[in-house]
Amino acid sequence: MQSDSSESAGCFHCTLPLPNDDEITATIDGDSQHFCCTGCKAVCEAIYDAGLEGFYQRTPDGQSLAPPPDLPKELLLYDLDEVQEEFVSSLDDQRSISLLVEGIHCAACVWLIEHTLRKLAGVEEIKVNLSARRLHLKWDNSQLPLSMVIKRLGQIGYAAVPFDPEVAEGAIKRENRMLLYRMAFAAFTMMNLLWVSIALYSGADQSEYRGLFHLVGFILATPTLLFSGYPFYKGAWIGLRNLRPSMDLPIAIGATITYLYSIYITFSSSAIGEVYYDTVVNFLFVILVGRYLEAISKRQAVASTQRLLDLQPRVARVLRDGEEVFVPIRAVKVAEIVLLKPGERIPVDGVISWGQSSIDEALLTGESVAVNKTEGDKVSAGTINGNGVLKIEVTAVLKKTALGRIIDLVEEAQASKAPIQGMADRIVPWFVVATLGLATATFFWWWQTDFELALMAATSVLIITCPCAFGLATPMAIAVASGQGARHGILIKNGEVLERLSDINHFVFDKTGTLTEGKMSVTTIVTAESRWDAGSEQDLSAQSKALLRKLYALESLSEHPIAQAIVNAGKLRGFTKAAEIEGFVSKPGAGLSGLLNGEMLVIGTRSWLVENGIAAQTTLDQVADELESQGTGLIYCAINGEEVALIGVEDRIRPEAAAMVAALKRDGLELTMLSGDRQRTAEIIAERLGGLEVIAEVLPEEKDQVIQQLQQDKQHKVAMVGDGVNDAPALVRADVGIAMGSGTDVSIASADIVLMSAELNKVRQASALSRRTLRTIRQNIAISITYNIIMVPMAMMTFVSPLVAAISMPISSLLVIGNAARIRTLFKGEKEQG
């Protein structure tokens, strides 16, 4: 329970001083308590009425409560769909939103907010990101209006508004600016105290000016301790009041004892003993420098999200009534036409309605080569237009764009915890108790030798012990990994996925659309006189071109994937207008026939030709056996009752697939390919890829059963890689589901990881990223343990002064942050290899 407060002790809720002219009291848990304002009184009563008084026992760690901030005005406006559409994922009954919450200070605030909102009917999920002061809410809008959520937050002391990146950035800058002011004040005092120390060490401590120099040191150190040391005292007091001591307590005790001893020497006129005002100010300055560098390093390490936000243009050039109008991106409506000029960043998701250009989609896909786009093609917000002028019909803006969904995924991943973090969370609370115990033992051990030596040694122990690295070990690594993954086209849902992926020992790939390009193409054309193979330097002979033109006319009437392959082959050679076909016949699963300029064309399977009374040609049959042994699909062609050609078609293997398979095999992983093809055909493709286990003739609805069997029979940890459409059940069933996406069609619901491009090397990068992240987390924990094992005994043996301790203390945190930032080198290495 929260300890009783009296009027002299400050406000019962926030501990700020009580007003002199107005007494505000309330009966809390049977006792009369005093408050600084009616806001604190209302918040405290709401907390106790809800049975959440445990909040006060959970308020730790260097942050005080504050009087409740003012609620946003016109709350009911937030219930309007026109307002919400800028911030929510959809306008259905089930909605999600990120709120920026003013007043979050510590883990106890997170606990209070989550427990309070979970009691509201209609709240489905609530996650609070302490470092970003952000709340992610999923709720049923038909049961609970958003204004009620914001109002309830206000009742317990927090002001919430829909998250706006610019507002959030301003709050972080203000916080860091105040830290900089405190550091600068301590630096100014430290430089002046340096001259006092030089004078004393030069002999002034033996002269009549000894007392004067001590007094000057007292005058300089006192305001520094109160202003620059305020964050440490505030944190220490909060921790003591709630029986949850934080690491601010040892710092505050060390500074206070050293300062009080110096005061005793100053005003007792003792000729024995030294003052340590310079030590107090110096280590306050150094600790503040460390905290400031830590704050800056954290922001830089996890800045991927902010960089993604910066890619969203603020305005768009919209065509309204035939005129160009610049409007804020939030005012752009779906179906409006946006005009885009060369070199501009695309502000919306949409479809090109006029023009053609090359689009740099590196943001979404990680591919550096620009993609040519023309009328009817989709474009995405944040990508960059090339040299063309485009008119784009808007399909989505802000959070509903592909860029918005990527940012949501990254933020969700950065707010999540990996299971390994549980160990660190259990260790941290014991640090403070151990630190105080070691400092006390050190003081009494050296007291027998020299009081000042004992005081300095105990102060060094108090300052040097630091559990911060434990707290940062996991979240920093996950934040950097998820942010860097997103920048390179790998979207990771949460930290737990990274840990699971690092344990995977078996990758299962769907063949069609994953290992292959997902569309049929013509690879071979064989006639009695000539043969052409895709990739050869020679183009088709004149005779083969004439044949292809006839087939183009017939296949243009069919929607079958093989027909489209032949049509595309014709288009590549400039065929545009198909000749008219008479008597067209199509038999599903067999083939086509029709009359073209008096010639009867028959194209399809061998059995289709036999059905039409066409005999096989021996020469072509020999080539057919060869192609079938290579896994190539065959189309037989006949003109006027005579077989004249073979067309080889196949779903071509992706160029990078073999290299990816080889790399994963080098990592010692088992690989399996799922295919609906015949066993022999699938095995041939697997051999061309470098050798995979094959499970063939699998229907889409059977894929998840195959995954389950691998998990149960072989006890394997399985990752499934598919296109995220008909593979959805298998993606969900696997330990980790990896969906191949396109950036505008992200299979978020079924997959744990979404690859924004079709590059298979992203699979290997994701696997390597997960292993690097888990290795980094373990390294970070080891860094913190090693630091304390080395430095604490040295401080206890008086080998480390308080100033050196203050310099050393931030090092472990900075090492952890720097080590986490090294995850970026994984992708730099990939670029150099590429």
Side-chain angles (χ1 to χ4, degrees):
M1 297 293 294
Q2 178 174 351
S3 59
D4 292 347
S5 69
S6 65
E7 195 162 339
S8 60
C11 175
F12 180 72
H13 174 70
C14 71
T15 74
L16 291 179
L18 297 172
N20 296 322
D21 55 347
D22 188 16
E23 184 172 318
I24 302 172
T25 61
T27 301
I28 304 295
D29 203 24
D31 297 318
S32 179
Q33 305 294 356
H34 298 263
F35 298 91
C36 66
C37 64
T38 56
C40 282
K41 171 176 172 288
V43 168
C44 186
E45 287 177 331
I47 291 173
Y48 271 84
D49 289 345
L52 297 172
E53 58 272 16
F55 162 70
Y56 292 107
Q57 279 73 43
R58 291 171 170 82
T59 305
D61 306 327
Q63 295 289 349
S64 69
L65 301 175
D70 294 332
L71 283 176
K73 297 179 180 178
E74 304 294 341
L75 278 182
L76 294 180
L77 286 177
Y78 291 117
D79 294 336
L80 299 176
D81 286 350
E82 292 80 2
V83 175
Q84 286 192 22
E85 67 179 351
E86 299 177 11
F87 306 102
V88 299
S89 54
S90 71
L91 291 177
D92 300 331
D93 287 342
Q94 312 298 320
R95 302 184 182 185
S96 62
I97 193 172
S98 288
L99 300 176
L100 182 65
V101 184
E102 183 183 349
I104 294 181
H105 298 91
C106 59
C109 297
V110 174
W111 179 89
L112 177 62
I113 290 171
E114 290 182 348
H115 280 71
T116 300
L117 294 188
R118 283 194 185 113
K119 294 186 176 183
L120 296 179
V123 171
E124 296 177 353
E125 185 178 277
I126 178 79
K127 292 181 182 177
V128 179
N129 186 330
L130 175 59
S131 60
R133 308 289 196 270
R134 223 174 299 166
L135 181 158
H136 183 71
L137 172 71
K138 289 184 180 178
W139 85 106
D140 187 336
N141 195 61
S142 63
Q143 295 185 50
L144 179 69
L146 182 60
S147 61
M148 186 62 69
V149 176
I150 298 175
K151 182 178 180 181
R152 183 62 179 137
L153 284 169
Q155 290 171 347
I156 58 171
Y158 305 95
V161 293
F163 171 67
D164 185 313
E166 293 180 2
V167 174
E169 186 72 9
I172 294 171
K173 286 182 178 177
R174 285 195 301 272
E175 193 173 313
N176 288 346
R177 192 182 303 122
M178 179 52 69
L179 192 60
L180 194 61
Y181 289 158
R182 297 184 193 280
M183 185 177 70
F185 189 84
F188 170 79
T189 309
M190 182 181 70
M191 287 185 290
N192 285 278
L193 274 174
L194 175 65
W195 298 109
V196 174
S197 299
I198 290 173
L200 289 171
Y201 295 147
S202 300
D205 61 332
Q206 303 298 324
S207 69
E208 67 271 21
Y209 298 110
R210 170 187 168 95
L212 176 62
F213 280 114
H214 285 182
L215 188 60
V216 170
F218 167 75
I219 293 172
L220 288 172
T222 301
T224 306
L225 188 66
L226 295 176
F227 177 66
S228 297
Y230 174 74
F232 308 112
Y233 284 105
K234 181 174 68 173
W237 165 245
I238 295 296
L240 281 175
R241 187 186 68 182
N242 297 293
L243 302 179
R244 289 284 300 263
S246 69
M247 279 312 298
D248 287 327
L249 181 60
I251 295 171
I253 291 174
T256 302
I257 291 177
T258 308
Y259 174 75
L260 291 176
Y261 177 74
S262 300
I263 288 180
Y264 166 75
I265 296 297
T266 300
F267 294 102
S268 66
S269 300
S270 172
I272 303 173
E274 302 293 340
V275 295
Y276 294 96
Y277 295 122
D278 57 336
T279 300
V280 173
V281 172
N282 287 357
F283 81 66
L284 281 178
F285 169 73
V286 171
I287 293 172
L288 286 169
V289 168
R291 289 201 173 181
Y292 181 75
L293 291 176
E294 188 176 312
I296 297 300
S297 298
K298 282 182 191 175
R299 286 193 60 204
Q300 290 176 345
V302 300
S304 295
T305 306
Q306 185 59 45
R307 284 194 290 270
L308 288 172
L309 290 169
D310 292 340
L311 294 173
Q312 173 68 68
R314 301 288 188 268
V315 296
R317 186 188 289 105
V318 181
L319 296 178
R320 290 179 176 171
D321 299 325
E323 296 183 359
E324 297 180 19
V325 182
F326 283 96
V327 298
I329 192 64
R330 290 177 175 174
V332 177
K333 303 297 182 184
V334 173
E336 285 194 303
I337 301 298
V338 171
L339 181 65
L340 202 68
K341 294 188 176 180
E344 292 183 341
R345 196 175 292 277
I346 299 175
V348 297
D349 277 9
V351 177
I352 297 175
S353 61
W354 178 87
Q356 58 183 10
S357 183
S358 60
I359 305 295
D360 181 355
E361 296 185 329
L363 161 72
L364 292 180
T365 66
E367 296 176 359
S368 57
V369 179
V371 180
N372 292 323
K373 301 273 187 175
T374 187
E375 291 180 20
D377 290 336
K378 296 180 180 180
V379 293
S380 300
T383 56
I384 301 173
N385 183 29
N387 297 322
V389 177
L390 299 175
K391 290 181 182 179
I392 300 169
E393 183 179 346
V394 179
T395 58
V397 296
L398 297 170
K399 292 180 74 68
K400 296 178 183 178
T401 63
L403 176 61
R405 296 200 298 273
I406 291 172
I407 292 170
D408 283 345
L409 269 181
V410 173
E411 289 178 345
E412 187 175 342
Q414 291 180 342
S416 65
K417 290 185 179 182
I420 195 173
Q421 189 169 352
M423 180 185 71
D425 291 344
R426 289 191 296 271
I427 291 174
V428 170
W430 294 98
F431 255 79
V432 176
V433 175
T435 300
L436 295 176
L438 290 172
T440 303
T442 301
F443 177 79
F444 284 109
W445 176 267
W446 290 105
W447 190 15
Q448 305 170 45
T449 304
D450 181 82
F451 178 79
E452 289 191 11
L453 182 64
L455 180 65
M456 292 297 101
T459 301
S460 296
V461 173
L462 289 170
I463 296 169
I464 208 166
T465 310
C466 179
C468 304
F470 276 109
L472 291 171
T474 299
M476 280 303 303
I478 289 175
V480 173
S482 56
Q484 288 297 307
R487 289 188 66 200
H488 293 84
I490 303 169
L491 300 187
I492 301 161
K493 236 172 193 180
N494 54 54
E496 185 181 354
V497 170
L498 281 170
E499 186 165 344
R500 292 205 310 266
L501 183 58
S502 69
D503 293 332
I504 292 297
N505 53 22
H506 196 146
F507 274 85
V508 177
F509 294 88
D510 177 53
K511 180 183 76 73
T512 304
T514 304
L515 294 173
T516 64
E517 294 178 347
K519 57 183 180 181
M520 304 299 287
S521 59
V522 175
T523 57
T524 305
I525 299 178
V526 182
T527 66
E529 294 80 17
S530 64
R531 172 171 175 165
W532 170 86
D533 292 293
S536 64
E537 295 182 1
Q538 284 186 323
D539 197 6
L540 290 172
S541 65
Q543 183 187 23
S544 295
K545 272 189 180 179
L547 171 66
L548 182 60
R549 185 179 293 276
K550 295 173 184 178
L551 300 180
Y552 173 82
L554 182 62
E555 297 285 14
S556 296
L557 301 177
S558 173
E559 296 294 330
H560 193 279
I562 291 177
Q564 291 304 306
I566 294 174
V567 169
N568 290 335
K571 287 181 177 178
L572 287 173
R573 287 157 182 83
F575 303 168
T576 54
K577 196 170 183 181
E580 189 174 341
I581 298 291
E582 299 176 1
F584 176 73
V585 175
S586 172
K587 184 176 181 180
L592 311 173
S593 65
L595 199 62
L596 174 65
N597 297 329
E599 292 183 316
M600 174 56 70
L601 305 180
V602 179
I603 180 170
T605 64
R606 164 65 70 197
S607 59
W608 177 241
L609 265 64
V610 171
E611 187 177 329
N612 283 271
I614 300 168
Q617 191 181 102
T618 307
T619 308
L620 293 178
D621 266 1
Q622 292 173 353
V623 178
D625 292 339
E626 174 198 338
L627 293 174
E628 280 191 323
S629 69
Q630 297 172 3
T632 303
L634 295 178
I635 303 299
Y636 298 85
C637 309
I639 299 178
N640 292 331
E642 182 182 350
E643 184 180 358
V644 295
L646 281 175
I647 307 290
V649 294
E650 63 179 59
D651 185 0
R652 284 194 293 191
I653 294 173
R654 294 186 186 278
E656 71 278 10
M660 181 272 300
V661 168
L664 291 178
K665 290 175 75 173
R666 283 197 302 270
D667 292 337
L669 300 168
E670 290 195 39
L671 306 178
T672 297
M673 182 181 77
L674 294 186
S675 175
D677 294 338
R678 292 180 293 113
Q679 182 73 27
R680 180 55 189 154
T681 303
E683 287 174 352
I684 291 169
I685 293 173
E687 288 171 9
R688 289 165 61 187
L689 286 166
L692 296 85
E693 182 183 342
V694 172
I695 302 178
E697 301 179 36
V698 179
L699 297 174
E701 59 269 21
E702 296 173 345
K703 291 179 181 179
D704 71 315
Q705 298 172 19
V706 173
I707 299 296
Q708 185 178 25
Q709 190 172 356
L710 289 172
Q711 292 168 324
Q712 293 176 351
D713 295 350
K714 294 190 175 183
Q715 299 297 309
H716 284 181
K717 299 289 186 182
V718 180
M720 171 69 187
V721 186
D723 60 14
V725 181
N726 60 6
D727 298 320
L731 291 172
V732 173
R733 175 77 65 183
D735 295 287
V736 176
I738 303 176
M740 306 286 286
S742 63
T744 53
D745 184 21
V746 184
S747 305
I748 294 173
S750 56
D752 300 304
I753 296 175
V754 178
L755 307 180
M756 299 304 292
S757 73
E759 292 183 25
L760 276 172
N761 66 328
K762 301 292 184 189
V763 176
R764 182 174 57 82
Q765 287 181 349
S767 178
L769 178 63
S770 68
R771 293 195 300 275
R772 171 72 71 87
T773 303
L774 265 291
R775 185 166 71 246
T776 299
I777 290 173
R778 295 185 180 107
Q779 289 171 349
N780 287 347
I781 293 174
I783 286 170
S784 182
I785 292 174
T786 303
Y787 164 85
N788 285 287
I789 287 175
I790 294 173
M791 299 305 295
V792 172
M794 290 182 67
M796 294 179 71
M797 290 186 289
T798 72
F799 294 158
V800 177
S801 69
L803 180 58
V804 173
I807 294 172
S808 303
M809 191 192 77
I811 288 178
S812 62
S813 296
L814 293 174
L815 284 174
V816 163
I817 294 169
N819 192 45
R822 286 177 59 245
I823 293 174
R824 298 172 179 170
T825 61
L826 174 71
F827 293 99
K828 289 180 181 177
E830 294 286 342
K831 287 181 181 178
E832 290 169 3
Q833 291 172 16

